[in-house]
Coordinates of all heavy atoms in Angstrom, one line a residue:
A91 N -30.2 4.7 11.0 CA -30.1 5.4 9.7 C -28.6 5.7 9.3 O -28.3 5.7 8.1 CB -30.9 6.8 9.8
T92 N -27.9 5.9 10.3 CA -26.4 6.1 10.1 C -25.8 4.9 9.4 O -25.1 5.0 8.5 CB -25.6 6.6 11.4 OG1 -26.3 7.8 11.9 CG2 -24.1 6.9 11.1
L93 N -26.0 3.8 10.0 CA -25.5 2.6 9.6 C -26.0 2.3 8.1 O -25.2 1.9 7.2 CB -25.9 1.4 10.5 CG -25.2 1.4 11.7 CD1 -25.8 0.4 12.7 CD2 -23.6 1.4 11.7
G94 N -27.2 2.6 7.8 CA -27.8 2.4 6.6 C -27.2 3.3 5.5 O -26.9 2.9 4.3
L95 N -26.9 4.6 5.9 CA -26.3 5.5 5.0 C -24.9 4.9 4.7 O -24.4 5.0 3.4 CB -26.1 7.0 5.7 CG -25.2 8.0 5.0 CD1 -25.7 8.2 3.6 CD2 -25.3 9.2 5.8
I96 N -24.2 4.6 5.5 CA -22.7 4.2 5.3 C -22.8 2.8 4.4 O -21.9 2.8 3.4 CB -22.1 3.9 6.6 CG1 -21.8 5.3 7.5 CG2 -20.6 3.2 6.3 CD1 -21.2 4.9 8.7
D97 N -23.7 2.0 4.7 CA -23.8 0.8 3.9 C -24.1 1.2 2.5 O -23.6 0.6 1.4 CB -24.8 -0.2 4.4 CG -24.5 -1.0 5.6 OD1 -23.2 -1.0 5.9 OD2 -25.4 -1.5 6.3
D98 N -25.0 2.2 2.1 CA -25.3 2.6 0.9 C -24.2 3.2 0.1 O -24.0 3.0 -1.1 CB -26.6 3.6 0.9 CG -27.9 2.8 1.3 OD1 -28.0 1.7 1.2 OD2 -28.8 3.6 1.6
V99 N -23.4 3.9 0.9 CA -22.3 4.6 0.3 C -21.2 3.6 -0.1 O -20.7 3.7 -1.2 CB -21.6 5.6 1.3 CG1 -20.2 6.0 0.8 CG2 -22.5 7.0 1.4
L100 N -20.9 2.6 0.7 CA -20.0 1.6 0.3 C -20.4 0.7 -0.8 O -19.8 0.3 -1.6 CB -19.7 0.8 1.6 CG -18.9 1.4 2.6 CD1 -18.5 0.5 4.0 CD2 -17.5 2.1 2.1
N101 N -21.7 0.4 -0.8 CA -22.3 -0.5 -1.8 C -22.3 0.2 -3.1 O -22.1 -0.4 -4.2 CB -23.6 -0.9 -1.5 CG -23.8 -1.9 -0.3 OD1 -22.9 -2.6 -0.1 ND2 -25.0 -2.0 0.4
T102 N -22.4 1.5 -3.1 CA -22.5 2.3 -4.5 C -21.2 2.7 -4.9 O -20.7 2.5 -6.2 CB -23.3 3.5 -4.2 OG1 -24.6 3.2 -3.8 CG2 -23.5 4.4 -5.5
W103 N -20.2 3.2 -3.9 CA -18.9 3.8 -4.5 C -17.7 3.0 -3.8 O -16.5 3.0 -4.3 CB -18.8 5.2 -4.1 CG -19.8 6.1 -4.8 CD1 -19.7 6.4 -6.1 CD2 -21.0 6.6 -4.3 NE1 -20.7 7.2 -6.5 CE2 -21.5 7.3 -5.4 CE3 -21.6 6.7 -3.0 CZ2 -22.8 8.1 -5.2 CZ3 -22.8 7.2 -3.0 CH2 -23.3 8.0 -4.0
G104 N -17.9 2.2 -2.8 CA -16.9 1.3 -2.2 C -15.9 2.0 -1.4 O -14.8 1.5 -1.0
R105 N -16.1 3.2 -1.2 CA -15.1 4.1 -0.3 C -16.0 5.2 0.3 O -17.1 5.7 -0.1 CB -14.1 4.7 -1.1 CG -14.6 5.6 -2.2 CD -13.6 6.1 -3.2 NE -12.5 7.0 -2.6 CZ -11.6 7.4 -3.3 NH1 -11.2 7.2 -4.5 NH2 -10.7 8.5 -2.6
L106 N -15.4 5.8 1.4 CA -15.9 7.0 2.2 C -14.6 7.7 2.6 O -13.7 7.1 3.2 CB -16.8 6.6 3.3 CG -17.2 7.8 4.2 CD1 -18.0 8.8 3.3 CD2 -18.1 7.4 5.4
D107 N -14.5 8.9 2.3 CA -13.3 9.8 2.5 C -13.5 10.9 3.6 O -12.7 11.2 4.4 CB -12.9 10.4 1.2 CG -12.5 9.4 0.2 OD1 -11.5 8.6 0.4 OD2 -13.3 9.1 -0.8
V108 N -14.7 11.5 3.5 CA -14.9 12.7 4.4 C -16.3 12.6 4.9 O -17.2 12.4 4.2 CB -14.7 14.1 3.6 CG1 -15.0 15.2 4.4 CG2 -13.2 14.2 3.0
W109 N -16.5 12.9 6.2 CA -17.8 13.2 6.8 C -17.8 14.5 7.5 O -17.0 14.7 8.4 CB -18.0 12.1 7.8 CG -19.5 12.1 8.4 CD1 -20.0 12.9 9.0 CD2 -20.4 10.9 8.4 NE1 -21.4 12.6 9.4 CE2 -21.6 11.5 9.0 CE3 -20.3 9.6 7.9 CZ2 -22.7 10.5 9.2 CZ3 -21.3 8.8 8.0 CH2 -22.6 9.3 8.7
V110 N -18.8 15.4 7.1 CA -18.9 16.7 7.7 C -20.1 16.6 8.4 O -21.3 16.6 7.9 CB -18.9 17.8 6.7 CG1 -19.0 19.1 7.4 CG2 -17.5 17.8 5.9
C111 N -20.0 16.9 9.8 CA -21.3 17.1 10.6 C -21.6 18.5 10.7 O -21.1 19.2 11.5 CB -21.0 16.6 12.0 SG -20.5 14.8 12.0
S112 N -22.6 18.9 9.8 CA -22.9 20.5 9.8 C -24.3 20.7 10.3 O -25.0 21.6 9.9 CB -22.7 21.0 8.4 OG -22.9 22.4 8.4
S113 N -24.9 19.8 11.0 CA -26.3 19.9 11.4 C -26.2 20.4 12.8 O -25.3 20.0 13.6 CB -27.0 18.5 11.4 OG -27.2 17.9 10.2
G114 N -27.0 21.4 13.2 CA -27.0 21.9 14.5 C -28.3 22.5 15.0 O -29.1 22.8 14.2
L115 N -28.4 22.6 16.3 CA -29.6 23.2 16.8 C -29.3 24.2 17.9 O -28.5 24.0 18.7 CB -30.5 22.1 17.4 CG -31.9 22.5 17.8 CD1 -32.8 22.8 16.4 CD2 -32.7 21.2 18.4
L116 N -29.8 25.5 17.8 CA -29.6 26.5 18.8 C -30.1 26.4 20.2 O -29.5 26.5 21.1 CB -30.0 27.8 18.0 CG -29.5 29.2 18.6 CD1 -28.1 29.2 18.6 CD2 -30.2 30.3 17.9
G117 N -31.4 26.0 20.1 CA -32.0 25.8 21.5 C -32.5 27.1 22.1 O -32.3 28.2 21.5
P118 N -33.3 27.0 23.1 CA -33.7 28.2 23.8 C -32.8 29.2 24.3 O -31.6 28.7 24.7 CB -34.6 27.7 24.8 CG -35.1 26.3 24.6 CD -33.8 25.8 23.8
P119 N -33.0 30.4 24.5 CA -32.1 31.5 24.8 C -31.7 31.5 26.3 O -30.8 32.3 26.7 CB -32.6 32.7 24.3 CG -34.0 32.5 24.4 CD -34.3 31.1 24.0
S120 N -32.5 30.9 27.0 CA -32.4 31.2 28.6 C -32.5 29.8 29.2 O -33.2 28.9 28.7 CB -33.3 32.1 29.2 OG -34.7 31.8 29.1
L121 N -32.2 29.6 30.5 CA -32.3 28.5 31.3 C -33.8 28.2 31.8 O -34.4 27.3 31.5 CB -31.5 28.6 32.6 CG -31.7 27.4 33.6 CD1 -31.1 26.1 32.9 CD2 -30.8 27.6 34.8
S122 N -34.5 29.3 31.9 CA -35.9 29.3 32.3 C -36.8 28.8 31.1 O -37.8 28.2 31.3 CB -36.3 30.7 32.8 OG -36.3 31.6 31.8
A123 N -36.3 29.1 29.9 CA -37.0 28.6 28.7 C -36.8 27.2 28.2 O -37.3 26.7 27.3 CB -36.8 29.6 27.6
T124 N -35.7 26.7 28.9 CA -35.2 25.3 28.5 C -35.8 24.2 29.2 O -35.6 24.2 30.5 CB -33.6 25.3 28.5 OG1 -33.1 26.3 27.9 CG2 -33.1 24.0 28.0
S125 N -36.5 23.3 28.5 CA -37.0 22.1 29.2 C -36.0 20.9 29.0 O -35.1 21.0 28.2 CB -38.3 21.6 28.5 OG -38.1 21.2 27.2
P126 N -36.0 19.9 29.7 CA -35.2 18.7 29.6 C -35.3 18.2 28.2 O -34.3 17.7 27.7 CB -35.8 17.6 30.6 CG -36.4 18.6 31.7 CD -37.0 19.8 30.9
S127 N -36.4 18.2 27.5 CA -36.7 17.8 26.3 C -35.8 18.6 25.2 O -35.3 18.1 24.3 CB -38.2 17.8 25.9 OG -38.4 17.6 24.4

Side-chain angles (χ1 to χ4, degrees):
T92 300
L93 292 171
L95 169 58
I96 293 173
D97 283 344
D98 286 346
V99 167
L100 292 180
N101 288 335
T102 304
W103 293 286
R105 61 188 286 179
L106 175 61
D107 302 288
V108 177
W109 187 306
V110 183
C111 302
S112 186
S113 302
L115 194 61
L116 194 59
S120 67
L121 182 61
S122 61
T124 303
S125 68
S127 176

